[in-house]
Amino acid sequence: MAVDLTPSPDVAELARRTAGFVRDVVIPVEEANDGVARTEEIRATLQSGAKEAGIFAPHVGAAYGGHGLDMRGRAAVFEEAGYSLLGPLALNIAAPDEGNMHMLEAIATDEQKERYLRPLAAGEIRSCFAMTEPAPGAGSDPGALATTATRVPGGWRIDGHKWFITGADGAGFAICMARTSGRPGEAGGATMFLVDADNPGMKPVRHIDTLDESLYGGHIELVFDNCVVPDEAVLGEVDEGFRYAQVRLGPARMTHCMRWLGIARRAQDIAVARAAERELFGSRLGELGMVQQLIADSEIDIAAARGLILRACWELDQGRSASQSTSIAKTFCAEAIWRVVDRAVQICGSLGISGDLLLGRFLREVRPFRIYDGPSETHRWAIARRVLRRHDAQVAG
Ligand SMILES: Cc1cc2nc3c(=O)[nH]c(=O)nc-3n(C[C@H](O)[C@H](O)[C@H](O)COP(=O)(O)OP(=O)(O)OC[C@H]3O[C@@H](n4cnc5c(N)ncnc54)[C@H](O)[C@@H]3O)c2cc1C
């Protein structure tokens, strides 16, 4: 089947308008705040600007105020939004809300959509996704899930310990993964629950101090202690949580790649501008061979990352699981984006390390991407296992 990666005229126009909004409205706010939106006021101001510009929540369907972009459409628009650390927040396409909207649109009941998706898509509330647990619980290996949900009259009682839950502080609700059958170490038996923020059984423990700061609401440790939710809080079917997680995770991996690719491009633009103007050893920095190699290698990384994202998005748009191509794209992008930002710092010398540019901030923000959404090693392990299975199937005829 022919693969067409050209964005439609509508998507190209939306991407163009997004780029203009990020350049004129978002970047000045980003630069004045060291790349971090620390207040609700900043979030609200940016989001109302994106609404006025007609580019808000472009991924959700028209029924929820968006443009219903498919994955290839998201690739074009999200990269432009990601050109600033605050662009995704402004457009309401930042993690984890964007992935949660995607999943709610795909599997929530009509009542759940009205209660959770509609205000989330409008930016009236935020959300979080609570999967990861301290050792020995779920991390790279989701099968180790130790949080339990047990039946009580009219609903379920959730007990467990979660951490690194992005955006949990101030979120209107959490989507919590809990084990409803089987034991830790077994692959099946997880269920997703919608837990309202005012549920007294869901308790924040602390903000975890991390290298990165730009994902709104921070990364939170949470305890679920006798957290009782009604039957209507089940998202999708009981015991199908791991299957639904794939509905969220494959596309969410790609949208992370798209957003961070925007930052890689920005870092490259900053470095190229510096290389073009800085005079060294009788020539422009950009005319010295080793700097040209850094610039060229970053250009190659950016182009290859975009190509892998689009290929995986095309498969997702065909309704395929795209597990191999999303793993490949995620692993490559997380590492390539880091390399591009690191090279940009090097080209800018001490200025690159300083707070006068945002490159140091970008470096801190992109590093954790090699860990969340599956560490590079977990993806490489999964990629190799699929390749070996393919080999075994070919040998078996
Ligand atoms: C900034 C940030 C935000 C996050 N946000 C969220 C969130 O919103 N919700 C949520 O639920 N979780 C979140 N997480 C957690 C994230 O999903 C986990 O960190 C990730 O799944 C890895 O789990 P772990 O940290 O327990 O590492 P571990 O599972 O302990 O893995 C440690 C290391 O083991 C290595 N490894 C893993 N698998 C293999 C393998 N097969 N072969 C060889 N080596 C391997 C890798 O190097 C890995 O980094 C976030 C994490 C970070 C850093």
Side-chain angles (χ1 to χ4, degrees):
M1 198 186 295
V3 181
D4 183 3
L5 302 176
T6 323
S8 70
D10 284 355
V11 169
E13 168 60 14
L14 190 61
R16 195 190 59 73
R17 283 196 286 128
T18 300
F21 174 75
V22 167
R23 182 189 61 234
D24 298 339
V25 178
V26 182
I27 287 181
V29 178
E30 179 203 50
E31 288 179 343
N33 289 280
D34 185 32
V36 183
R38 292 190 173 85
T39 65
E40 270 299 304
E41 195 191 341
I42 295 175
R43 184 177 87 96
T45 305
L46 288 172
Q47 293 201 342
S48 65
K51 282 177 188 167
E52 272 169 38
I55 55 173
F56 192 71
H59 57 306
V60 293
Y64 299 99
H67 294 259
L69 293 175
D70 63 10
M71 290 302 293
R72 280 166 297 171
R74 289 176 209 192
V77 175
F78 285 23
E79 183 185 325
E80 296 301 344
Y83 197 73
S84 161
L85 289 171
L86 301 187
L89 182 71
L91 268 70
N92 202 16
I93 56 163
D97 290 333
E98 175 267 328
N100 287 343
M101 285 181 238
H102 178 87
M103 193 169 60
L104 288 167
E105 210 171 3
I107 63 171
T109 63
D110 289 346
E111 291 75 23
Q112 289 170 338
K113 284 180 183 167
E114 280 310 304
R115 183 162 171 189
Y116 297 102
L117 174 57
R118 190 168 293 287
L120 190 58
E124 290 161 7
I125 58 169
R126 294 189 295 100
S127 64
C128 64
F129 185 75
M131 167 83 180
T132 305
E133 301 163 340
S140 310
D141 178 6
L145 185 71
T147 297
T148 56
T150 39
R151 270 238 164 262
V152 293
W156 297 83
R157 193 192 74 220
I158 306 170
D159 294 286
H161 192 174
K162 302 282 186 185
W163 74 344
F164 284 93
I165 309 309
T166 304
D169 185 9
F173 68 96
I175 299 175
C176 175
M177 280 279 270
R179 183 168 286 287
T180 37
S181 67
R183 294 207 193 92
E186 292 175 7
T191 302
M192 289 190 186
F193 294 92
L194 291 155
V195 185
D196 293 331
D198 62 2
N199 189 316
M202 181 168 72
K203 300 170 187 166
V205 176
R206 62 171 173 139
H207 265 263
I208 303 172
D209 187 20
T210 57
L211 198 62
D212 65 321
E213 276 188 282
S214 74
L215 291 177
Y216 196 81
H219 310 299
I220 310 297
E221 185 171 342
L222 288 175
V223 163
F224 290 82
D225 177 16
N226 199 13
C227 176
V228 176
V229 293
D231 280 322
E232 303 79 71
V234 173
L235 180 58
E237 307 270 321
V238 171
D239 279 351
E240 293 291 334
F242 287 125
R243 189 165 63 81
Y244 296 134
Q246 294 314 312
V247 171
R248 184 184 189 284
L249 288 178
R253 262 175 216 142
M254 291 306 91
T255 54
H256 262 310
C257 292
M258 298 165 193
R259 291 181 293 254
W260 288 130
L261 182 58
I263 281 297
R265 237 182 65 213
R266 173 102 168 272
Q268 171 81 332
D269 287 351
I270 292 170
V272 169
R274 181 72 178 163
E277 75 193 17
R278 171 87 162 120
E279 297 273 340
L280 272 185
F281 303 109
S283 75
R284 293 196 302 170
L285 185 56
E287 277 152 19
L288 298 172
M290 277 183 275
V291 170
Q292 290 181 337
Q293 179 165 1
L294 294 175
I295 291 171
D297 284 349
S298 287
E299 207 64 12
I300 292 166
D301 272 339
I302 289 168
R306 191 179 293 120
L308 288 172
I309 292 169
L310 283 172
R311 169 75 211 201
C313 286
W314 178 79
E315 285 187 28
L316 287 165
D317 286 338
Q318 308 303 306
R320 304 192 198 170
S321 79
S323 37
Q324 187 74 332
S325 57
T326 57
S327 275
I328 290 171
K330 196 279 169 178
T331 308
F332 184 84
C333 287
E335 296 175 4
I337 288 161
W338 164 265
R339 288 193 295 267
V340 172
V341 178
D342 185 53
R343 286 186 200 111
V345 169
Q346 193 69 18
I347 290 169
C348 293
S350 51
L351 181 65
I353 295 291
S354 76
D356 291 2
L357 295 179
L358 278 172
L359 290 175
R361 160 70 60 203
F362 295 168
L363 205 60
R364 288 160 60 189
E365 300 301 325
V366 301
R367 180 61 183 85
F369 186 36
R370 284 160 55 194
I371 293 170
Y372 57 72
D373 275 0
S376 294
E377 292 73 17
T378 318
H379 282 296
R380 284 196 167 86
W381 175 71
I383 291 166
R385 288 200 316 165
R386 290 188 202 104
V387 171
L388 286 166
R389 276 202 300 272
R390 188 179 66 204
H391 167 83
D392 291 346
Q394 280 164 355
V395 168

